[in-house]
Amino acid sequence: MRYKRSERIVFMTQYLMNHPNEVIPLTFFVNKFKQAKSSISEDVHIIKGTLEKEKMGTIITSSGVSGGVSFKPGMSKDEATRIVEEVIEKLQEKDRLLPGGYLFLSDLMGNPKLINRIGKMIASIYIEEDLDAIVTIATKGISLANAVGSVLNLPVVVIRKDNKVTEGSTVSINYVSGSTRQIETMVLSKRTLKEHSNVLIVDDFMRAGGSINGVMNLMREFKATVKGVSVLVESKEVEQRLIRDYTSLVRLSDVDEYNQNFNVEMGNSLSKFE
Amino acid sequence: MRYKRSERIVFMTQYLMNHPNEVIPLTFFVNKFKQAKSSISEDVHIIKGTLEKEKMGTIITSSGVSGGVSFKPGMSKDEATRIVEEVIEKLQEKDRLLPGGYLFLSDLMGNPKLINRIGKMIASIYIEEDLDAIVTIATKGISLANAVGSVLNLPVVVIRKDNKVTEGSTVSINYVSGSTRQIETMVLSKRTLKEHSNVLIVDDFMRAGGSINGVMNLMREFKATVKGVSVLVESKEVEQRLIRDYTSLVRLSDVDEYNQNFNVEMGNSLSKFE
């Protein structure tokens, strides 16, 4: 089968998009298209140029034995702003406020199109970190953690609040919930996270930060280094937060449960984009 | 900014890949590139031709007011076979068998690259169904359900086994676990699934089918129609299965807990590909 340049570009673009943050040997394309390496390099150059023009990331070329090309995703500040605005708009819909100052987020977390865009945004913030895994807490953080892990080409590790036979041997810790001050348990399957990993913690909602603080303690048991914490929604209704260094997409404040009023504003994630 | 054909093709390919099963008005590309509709149509034609040549799906063109182009993902039998073989290889790794005949799957479910490919495979099987949502059970089904939902551009609805304030008002049912014969509860937030939806149920593991039977009962409460059931692993160690019509990627059999032996073979999903 012969391929024209335009056909090669269609295939290579989709292939690189579907394999973000992964080195693809140039020989893979050379063999597939039976074309000289120089032609393939030119194709890559066109793809790279367009991605950069559109601020959608770039293509990194590495040489040597394990050399090749890899798609490094990126995001423009415009697109990041559009995402934050869309989230704010959705959160301002009626009847989202739940007892205890929580927000109903299940529909957002179950909207793959939106969550994949948010995941790409969070991934763009941490793409320069040398990460080994994305860590999240069951249940609602999972879809977002997966979206981030897909873009960064990293495994996703799910911490549970209950122990199940399907987890195999586990490590567990007790922690005090920041909001309710109750003692709760967190469990992580030993086999899902290698010791001494660099991790990014991703979750849907953070109030006082008790859960995330629990995750950090659990990470210590795995000798892991927490390179970052990123949440979709942070609640400002907290006097003393247990976590200092984190990014949030949006911030919830002025929660008035009686009148079902609250305020949502941009979080600090957006400041990471130029 | 002027765009050459090759640049337009890079942008359009990535855009269509990132918006599967969604109608993109041709005017979106016409306005972006300031090009005649006929040139854009030619670009689409090139992309469509390459996708079909590679058996990665096709581009559907619809006319009328809401007309446009949409990427309909597909998968070749070769790629589907490679996926199933990779899953079988991974499942045959040592020490996967857990007490009670369960398999350790958390690492697979937390491998976004693999799960996205499996999700695309499941999506290809059900792409002709008129679906409104993907339904799964917390926790381990979520990543796979999200992968399927991403490709089909559908919301993902997560059923929980515990009730949380963050779910808002819920509907719950009791069901009998097929394996343990114990009574368990399933809870679904009312707001996450519209009544009379057509749903595809996706999960990681099915033994007797008690959980999935529970999901089907819960779906009845939402007046939903179950259009299909798809699981990653089915266990053959069951005399009477509660679910008849389903697809599975792989089948587990001959489980010998004492000697840590078992057999994994291809499920019936592969027969859906030509």
Side-chain angles (χ1 to χ4, degrees), chain B:
Chain B
M1 239 188 301
R2 288 289 293 175
Y3 291 84
K4 293 183 201 142
R5 159 146 289 154
S6 56
E7 293 175 322
R8 295 200 306 263
I9 284 178
V10 171
F11 182 85
M12 288 167 72
T13 300
Q14 72 77 28
Y15 196 89
L16 289 163
M17 298 293 126
N18 284 328
H19 297 78
N21 244 5
E22 184 183 338
V23 178
I24 315 295
L26 266 191
T27 48
F28 170 75
F29 296 121
V30 168
N31 293 336
K32 173 158 184 72
F33 297 127
K34 312 222 176 353
Q35 276 283 337
K37 208 167 170 175
S38 57
S39 307
I40 301 295
S41 291
E42 260 179 75
D43 298 342
V44 170
H45 188 75
I46 292 167
I47 297 171
K48 181 186 161 103
T50 312
L51 293 176
E52 288 178 353
K53 198 168 173 177
E54 298 292 324
K55 292 196 174 133
M56 295 184 306
T58 189
I59 307 281
I60 307 282
T61 306
S62 50
S63 50
V65 184
S66 64
V69 289
S70 70
F71 166 49
K72 199 173 139 188
M75 186 176 278
S76 66
K77 184 156 198 158
D78 281 358
E79 167 68 354
T81 307
R82 275 193 297 272
I83 294 171
V84 175
E85 283 170 353
E86 192 177 324
V87 170
I88 289 177
E89 203 186 303
K90 283 200 197 301
L91 290 182
Q92 279 166 341
E93 285 162 7
K94 235 177 108 246
D95 297 332
R96 249 184 214 284
L97 201 58
L98 298 168
Y102 288 97
L103 275 192
F104 182 78
L105 294 176
S106 301
D107 57 336
L108 265 71
M109 304 318 281
N111 177 339
K113 201 161 88 177
L114 179 61
I115 289 298
N116 288 340
R117 287 168 71 210
I118 298 173
K120 206 172 278 180
M121 180 172 165
I122 294 176
S124 306
I125 298 174
Y126 295 95
I127 200 156
E128 299 297 343
E129 299 287 347
D130 179 27
L131 296 171
D132 301 302
I134 309 298
V135 174
T136 190
I137 313 168
T139 307
K140 277 207 297 302
I142 298 177
S143 57
L144 186 54
N146 265 291
V148 177
S150 292
V151 177
L152 296 179
N153 189 26
L154 289 174
V156 173
V157 173
V158 178
I159 294 168
R160 301 177 64 118
K161 293 194 175 172
D162 55 350
N163 209 337
K164 287 267 184 182
V165 61
T166 49
E167 297 297 296
S169 21
T170 55
V171 175
S172 71
I173 59 141
N174 295 314
Y175 71 101
V176 178
S177 157
S179 325
T180 66
R181 312 303 301 166
Q182 283 183 328
I183 295 179
E184 301 194 32
T185 305
M186 276 185 185
V187 178
L188 182 53
S189 165
K190 270 190 188 170
R191 291 167 62 170
T192 50
L193 186 64
K194 283 198 197 90
E195 287 207 337
H196 302 289
S197 292
N198 289 336
V199 304
L200 170 66
I201 300 171
V202 170
D203 208 2
D204 61 327
F205 192 81
M206 176 169 73
R207 202 138 64 155
S211 301
I212 287 174
N213 208 30
V215 175
M216 287 179 142
N217 289 335
L218 190 50
M219 288 301 102
R220 236 164 268 146
E221 297 295 318
F222 284 80
K223 298 183 177 65
T225 306
V226 176
K227 290 283 194 172
V229 174
S230 194
V231 297
L232 178 64
V233 183
E234 67 164 310
S235 169
K236 270 175 78 180
E237 309 293 284
V238 173
E239 288 179 22
Q240 244 193 324
R241 202 182 291 288
L242 300 165
I243 305 291
R244 295 259 162 103
D245 191 16
Y246 61 90
T247 56
S248 74
L249 218 78
V250 300
R251 249 187 226 128
L252 179 68
S253 64
D254 305 317
V255 174
D256 173 355
E257 274 190 63
Y258 184 77
N259 293 304
Q260 283 273 318
N261 277 334
F262 58 89
N263 184 42
V264 201
E265 57 191 53
M266 289 187 176
N268 63 343
S269 288
L270 208 55
S271 67
K272 311 287 175 185
F273 293 81
E274 293 148 17

Side-chain angles (χ1 to χ4, degrees), chain A residues 57-112:
Chain A
T58 188
I59 306 282
I60 309 281
T61 306
S62 51
S63 50
V65 183
S66 63
V69 288
S70 71
F71 166 49
K72 198 173 141 186
M75 186 176 279
S76 67
K77 184 156 198 158
D78 281 357
E79 168 67 355
T81 308
R82 273 193 297 272
I83 293 171
V84 175
E85 282 170 353
E86 191 177 324
V87 170
I88 290 178
E89 202 186 303
K90 282 199 197 300
L91 290 183
Q92 280 167 340
E93 284 163 7
K94 235 176 108 246
D95 299 332
R96 250 187 211 284
L97 201 57
L98 297 168
Y102 288 97
L103 275 193
F104 183 79
L105 295 175
S106 301
D107 56 337
L108 264 72
M109 304 318 281
N111 177 338

